[in-house]
Amino acid sequence: MKRIAVFTSGGDAPGMNACIRAVVRGAVYHGLEVFGIRRGYSGMINGDIFQMSSHSVSNIVQRGGTVLKSARSKEFMTPEGRAKAYEQLQKFGIEGLVAIGGNGTFTGATIFYDEYGIPTVGAPGTIDNDLYGTDHTIGFDTAVNTALEAIDKIRDTADSHDRIFFIEVMGRDSGYIAIQSGIAGGAELVMVPEVLTPISEVVETLKSGWSRQKSSSIVVIAEGEEEGNATEISEKIRAQVSSDIDMRVTTLGHIQRGGIPTAYDRILASRLGLGALEGLMNGEKNVMAGVVNNELVYTPFRDTIRLPKPISEDLLRMVKILSV
């Protein structure tokens, strides 16, 4: 293999730039020509491809977002779009890809290989930490710390005014950000998609706190919670408690995707970027590079996409015990 390309796709995540840097500098170290593809599969279709060098990735390790930009491409979901993408890769003589992204990115890469035989090795770039085959994904640690900083600040005002705050964090299908930021932030309750938490249980927990003279509470809710979003849950609870209880809702939203990546995310992203590149060089294809128990592993895309990644029972138990 002489020429490879790297791209980012789907939602951005802090640490993606560190991963790009590792791929590019690793390729240069190993004597490969390396190209960048802007805006993911959309840029692949449009030929937005350029050669990169070690200098191309100078001074980006500390930056959030992605210098290669990211996009979701509906056109790539069509056979015609993938045919255009293949033609562009052929023009540049690109023989393999490193894809930094999540489930959608890896699904596209799998179909692309089945049709055209272009091997891809992925690096898990998503703040949700919902990919099977790695303990942590790129951007997750930074997102948790961003959420935690907000929770700490909200705790101050909740305590000052004797309020209940319902704080919604990202996690459409995964409660990892909610559970870890909730534990670190001392939340009274955490609601995640993986575990059904009836409204009656939330009310009981809050009332138990009030009986112990607890004047303020924090409830952290993952956006994919089955009982609804933070606003809907607060309204359901309001209907079952005294109207004198002061409640507020805060949705953290996209601030969790941005910001300077933590040291942990920079190191993880660098390790996964180099691991993805060297895996590609060694004949790996249609796999995601991950770190499990501090060991670099490769997991087939089909397993990464299909298999669930459950939240540790220990973490769920910890929330219950520590909220007493």
Side-chain angles (χ1 to χ4, degrees), residues 97-166:
L97 300 168
V98 173
I100 307 168
N103 274 339
T105 303
F106 301 156
T107 299
T110 301
I111 297 170
F112 198 45
Y113 177 80
D114 290 343
E115 293 177 345
Y116 295 103
I118 299 290
T120 301
V121 177
T126 168
I127 66 169
D128 288 338
N129 197 37
D130 59 350
L131 294 175
Y132 176 86
T134 188
D135 289 339
H136 296 112
T137 57
I138 297 165
F140 170 65
D141 186 67
T142 305
V144 168
N145 279 281
T146 298
L148 177 60
E149 183 180 2
I151 290 168
D152 286 345
K153 291 178 178 179
I154 290 169
R155 173 72 74 179
D156 290 343
T157 192
D159 185 59
S160 296
H161 293 275
D162 294 341
R163 286 174 176 160
I164 301 171
F165 266 89
F166 298 89

Side-chain angles (χ1 to χ4, degrees), residues 51-71:
Q51 189 159 8
M52 300 185 77
S53 66
S54 184
H55 180 70
S56 302
V57 291
S58 294
N59 200 31
I60 68 169
V61 70
Q62 79 281 10
R63 292 169 58 182
T66 162
V67 295
L68 290 179
K69 309 294 185 181
S70 189

